[in-house]
Amino acid sequence: MILKQKQGGKRKEFELINNTDLRIKEKQSGELKEWTVKLDMIGHNLVYQEATRKRFYIMSSSLVAFLIFITIALYMSDDFTGNLPVVIGVYIIIASIILLSLLSPLKNEIHLVGGSVNLTFFKENPSPEAVKTFINEIIRLSKQQLLNKYAKIDPELPEETVFTQLNWLKNRDLLTEDEYQELKNEYKTQRLIKDF
């Protein structure tokens, strides 16, 4: 399963490998980064981060007010026609700043946090549904990896170690109370058989 994303000049690609690893590629400003993460290191909590254009509107209003002030001040001066190139230059610069601010993409991201590794996805690229589906699949596979790794019952391990692992899985909502009790009983049973 692959998720390809782009936002402005940024490109990201996430690829699930063998349902155990996630390969990540990021390209920005001609720089390419690539790395692989084990799924059991990824957290399961979602943090949404969205920016608005509120600052842009405040900045634009201030710049337009500045333009009006400069234009009036220069118009009232003795040599308005001599200052016309300055007025036109200031208009072009401020219009360019406003246009660039308007065209730059807003930060609209989903962060997957809570593990050893945090991941960042563009929320709406290629579509919100595709991103949500991919994230849910990563979370599902990550939980499965953790269960495969820490919910195996080994009668050779000390009771305290096994119960600590099971408790950790329960506290992370990877085991229900019934599953937790069932695995504890299974360990005790296997331990009795081993000692017998």
Side-chain angles (χ1 to χ4, degrees):
M1 183 176 219
I2 296 177
L3 177 69
K4 293 183 180 183
Q5 299 189 298
K6 61 182 178 176
Q7 184 180 64
K10 298 178 186 176
R11 304 279 185 267
K12 291 186 179 198
E13 182 178 307
F14 301 90
E15 180 181 4
L16 284 169
I17 303 168
N18 299 327
N19 292 336
T20 59
D21 297 318
L22 181 67
R23 179 181 296 135
I24 304 161
K25 295 179 185 177
E26 285 186 2
K27 186 175 184 182
Q28 179 178 356
S29 304
E31 183 179 314
L32 178 65
K33 289 191 262 182
E34 184 176 337
W35 68 98
T36 303
V37 175
K38 294 278 186 202
L39 289 178
D40 61 0
M41 297 177 73
I42 296 171
H44 307 136
N45 301 320
L46 297 175
V47 176
Y48 296 89
Q49 183 178 13
E50 294 184 23
T52 64
R53 295 216 187 268
K54 192 175 197 177
R55 288 184 193 163
F56 165 75
Y57 296 134
I58 293 169
M59 181 192 75
S60 297
S61 300
S62 301
L63 289 174
V64 168
F66 176 72
L67 273 178
I68 292 169
F69 173 76
I70 290 290
T71 305
I72 292 171
L74 289 175
Y75 184 73
M76 294 187 156
S77 72
D78 296 337
D79 189 23
F80 179 71
T81 54
N83 290 324
L84 195 56
V86 173
V87 172
I88 292 172
V90 170
Y91 270 85
I92 290 171
I93 290 170
I94 291 180
S96 299
I97 291 171
I98 291 172
L99 187 61
L100 284 174
S101 298
L102 187 60
L103 294 177
S104 65
L106 289 174
K107 185 177 269 192
N108 198 1
E109 300 173 339
I110 299 176
H111 302 277
L112 195 53
V113 300
S116 304
V117 176
N118 296 330
L119 300 175
T120 301
F121 299 88
F122 301 136
K123 186 178 176 184
E124 297 182 357
N125 192 289
S127 71
E129 296 80 23
V131 174
K132 192 72 170 165
T133 300
F134 190 82
I135 290 173
N136 287 338
E137 182 65 9
I138 287 174
I139 292 171
R140 184 188 72 76
L141 291 171
S142 175
K143 287 180 177 181
Q144 184 180 350
Q145 288 293 314
L146 289 169
L147 286 171
N148 291 343
K149 192 172 185 178
Y150 296 109
K152 287 185 179 176
I153 300 302
D154 183 357
E156 300 294 323
L157 291 174
E159 182 176 306
E160 184 179 330
T161 303
V162 172
F163 289 176
T164 300
Q165 287 178 341
L166 295 177
N167 195 41
W168 179 78
L169 290 170
K170 186 179 92 164
N171 288 338
R172 291 197 61 176
D173 294 327
L174 298 172
L175 290 176
T176 64
E177 181 64 35
D178 291 339
E179 292 169 331
Y180 172 73
Q181 293 300 330
E182 185 180 315
L183 287 170
K184 276 177 62 173
N185 291 335
E186 182 182 335
Y187 171 78
K188 289 177 183 178
T189 304
Q190 286 187 16
R191 187 74 180 204
L192 279 173
I193 292 170
K194 177 193 163 281
D195 291 341
F196 202 43

